[in-house]
Amino acid sequence: MSEGFSFHAWVDESMRQKDIPVPMYLLGVVIANLDRCDGARQELRSILPKGAPKLHWHAIDSREKTRATAVVSSFGATHLVVVDTRLDHRKQERARAQCMEQLYWDSVRWA
């Protein structure tokens, strides 16, 4: 990373166990240059359901999901997803720790 470069990163996780052949734990990050974040934040806040403190996938309808996806994919950020398919539902913390470690190394390389 060059000196003076500032960025923000947003991380989210998901655990999938139903209706798929292999259970998995997913951890994703969006990394963006600081000067590009304010516009994206404003656009994403405009999608928030009334009274909602944050944008959450399960709380928005399909039209809002389409808008949110378009905003996130258009503002010039790096997107990384790490997947652990050796998921044991009793050891979610282990899957999270392994994905966090891999996500860190991948983020450093791509940021």
Side-chain angles (χ1 to χ4, degrees), residues 71-92:
V71 170
V72 171
S73 65
S74 72
F75 81 98
T78 298
H79 305 263
L80 299 169
V81 178
V82 177
V83 180
D84 187 345
T85 58
R86 302 163 304 203
L87 180 65
D88 177 343
H89 71 279
R90 297 165 298 183
K91 297 180 181 175
Q92 179 181 346

Side-chain angles (χ1 to χ4, degrees), residues 1 22 37 39 56-57 90-91 93 95 105-107:
M1 281 182 265
V22 178
C37 295
H56 197 280
W57 197 253
R90 297 165 298 183
K91 297 180 181 175
E93 292 301 319
W105 292 114
D106 289 345
S107 297

Side-chain angles (χ1 to χ4, degrees), residues 8 10 34 36-46 71:
H8 279 201
W10 296 268
L34 189 59
R36 295 184 172 191
C37 295
D38 286 339
R41 273 194 193 100
Q42 287 176 343
E43 285 189 60
L44 290 170
R45 284 186 183 126
S46 74
V71 170

Side-chain angles (χ1 to χ4, degrees), residues 19-33:
D19 303 323
I20 60 171
V22 178
M24 62 182 71
Y25 179 87
L26 301 98
L27 192 63
V29 64
V30 176
I31 303 168
N33 195 319

